[in-house]
Amino acid sequence: MTSDLTAADIDRHVRVYITVFVALMALTIITVAISYLHLPVPMAVTVALLVALIKGSLVACYFMHLISEKKVIYAVLVLTVVFFVALLALPVATVHDGYWIH
């Protein structure tokens, strides 16, 4: 198996991985720093989920190589997100109108 990668290509890939690693470490430090701010619970959860979303996106895009995948992978990913949001919204929808509350 021959590879068409040159030393410059490998260096570029390694630099990207190191940059993503540093970004993940910085976001982890930001997460810990935010925990010391004693924010109200809804805001703390929102900020924590936002940081986790960014970190998860970095891991999925670069370490799982989703950034270079075909459009079919993105379609499946979008469908999964749609079902996930629908499942999260289901309890909110049933409690909001009081149908399931006795």
Side-chain angles (χ1 to χ4, degrees):
M1 175 181 237
T2 61
S3 178
D4 295 335
L5 291 176
T6 64
D9 291 333
I10 293 171
D11 287 343
R12 186 173 49 85
H13 286 291
V14 169
R15 262 186 274 126
V16 168
Y17 289 138
I18 290 172
T19 303
V20 171
F21 175 74
V22 168
L24 289 171
M25 289 299 103
L27 288 168
T28 300
I29 292 169
I30 289 170
T31 302
V32 173
I34 289 172
S35 72
Y36 288 108
L37 294 179
H38 303 294
L39 297 172
V41 173
M43 179 163 299
V45 170
T46 303
V47 171
L49 284 175
L50 180 65
V51 171
L53 176 72
I54 295 169
K55 287 169 64 174
S57 298
L58 283 172
V59 169
C61 287
Y62 291 100
F63 293 133
M64 297 174 69
H65 305 286
L66 291 180
I67 203 161
S68 61
E69 287 295 329
K70 298 183 189 279
K71 291 182 181 181
V72 175
I73 298 294
Y74 288 121
V76 171
L77 185 62
V78 167
L79 184 63
T80 303
V81 168
V82 167
F83 279 120
F84 178 72
V85 169
L87 286 174
L88 285 179
L90 187 62
V92 173
T94 58
V95 170
H96 178 66
D97 63 1
Y99 179 74
W100 294 100
I101 300 174
H102 297 291

